[in-house]
Amino acid sequence: MLATVSGYILLGLSIAAPVGPINVEIIKRGLQYGFWPAFLVGAGGISSDLTLMALMFFGLSKIMSLAWVKIILTLLGCFILLYSGWTNLRATSQAMETSKASASIPAGIGTRSYLTGVTIAASNPMNLLFWLGIYGSVLNRALHQNNHLQSFFLCSLVLLGIGLWNLNLAFTVHFGRLLMNTRVMRGINIFASLVLIGYGLKFGYIGLSELLYIIIS
């Protein structure tokens, strides 16, 4: 039992640890505004995962397997990441100066951070593929055994692992920013924005390639 619990928590940590749009956004928000906005980005991402988990129980996997649905979500993710990266890139200098000049968090930044996490996670095709693949198999195995409680428990363990990673990352960035000067923080923020734009271009390429394949076929 202990091995099962540890294994699924570790799975959640392993899923959340690689550099991706959510982690980049957590780092960026943490450098600009501190712990809570960074943490709320991760909380938004988990909320989106939780919603997907619930929808999986009601047969969302069949809809998500449709080619047109995948293409639409991939292109939507492309637009969101490109817009977020470009907006952050333009506002970098002002945001860095503001965060250094005042310890207060701008009004509404918590809500915006949370909604950003929800949006990025919900429109990230890699996240959706994960739910259809690895996570979907976990659900299917438990559901075929007619054990909904076990399925919910396993899903919760994975979400717990993801949450622990997000909490660790938010804390690390929050305290790390206290040791950085404005120039270093600006450089990291620019890099993070470019990574988001890079992911956006990648998703756009994947979406357009699949769209052209369907049209040609």
Side-chain angles (χ1 to χ4, degrees):
M1 181 64 180
L2 181 60
T4 300
V5 171
S6 302
Y8 279 100
I9 292 177
L10 183 60
L11 175 61
L13 288 169
S14 302
I15 292 162
V19 177
I22 285 288
N23 281 347
V24 170
E25 190 66 26
I26 290 174
I27 293 171
K28 185 179 65 61
R29 297 274 174 162
L31 289 176
Q32 290 182 5
Y33 306 115
F35 171 77
W36 283 111
F39 175 76
L40 287 172
V41 170
I46 291 178
S47 297
S48 181
D49 288 341
L50 186 60
T51 302
L52 284 171
M53 182 183 78
L55 292 174
M56 285 290 179
F57 278 95
F58 295 98
L60 179 69
S61 57
K62 296 180 181 179
I63 299 176
M64 298 300 301
S65 299
L66 298 176
W68 283 103
V69 174
K70 290 182 180 180
I71 291 173
I72 291 173
L73 289 173
T74 301
L75 294 178
L76 178 62
C78 165
F79 171 77
I80 291 172
L81 292 176
L82 287 177
Y83 176 79
S84 179
W86 176 247
T87 302
N88 295 332
L89 196 60
R90 293 179 58 187
T92 293
S93 297
Q94 181 180 357
M96 290 295 108
E97 294 298 333
T98 300
S99 63
K100 280 293 187 179
S102 174
S104 61
I105 298 176
I109 189 63
T111 301
R112 292 199 299 272
S113 297
Y114 177 81
L115 293 177
T116 297
V118 171
T119 305
I120 291 177
S123 61
N124 184 352
M126 300 305 175
N127 192 38
L128 297 173
L129 288 174
F130 157 71
W131 279 83
L132 290 172
I134 301 175
Y135 216 176
S137 66
V138 173
L139 287 172
N140 288 333
R141 194 161 52 245
L143 290 175
H144 280 296
Q145 297 173 356
N146 200 26
N147 192 338
H148 290 74
L149 182 61
Q150 179 187 0
S151 179
F152 177 79
F153 178 66
L154 295 178
C155 293
S156 299
L157 290 177
V158 176
L159 288 176
L160 176 60
I162 295 173
L164 289 174
W165 172 261
N166 292 339
L167 183 64
N168 168 70
L169 186 58
F171 266 121
T172 301
V173 175
H174 172 75
F175 289 108
R177 72 194 287 264
L178 302 178
L179 305 176
M180 300 179 187
N181 56 38
T182 303
R183 181 176 298 177
V184 173
M185 291 174 64
R186 183 183 294 116
I188 293 175
N189 196 65
I190 290 174
F191 177 75
S193 299
L194 292 176
V195 170
L196 289 178
I197 292 174
Y199 271 102
L201 293 174
K202 177 182 178 180
F203 293 162
Y205 174 78
I206 293 173
L208 290 176
S209 297
E210 293 182 355
L211 179 61
L212 288 175
Y213 177 77
I214 291 178
I215 293 175
I216 293 174
S217 301

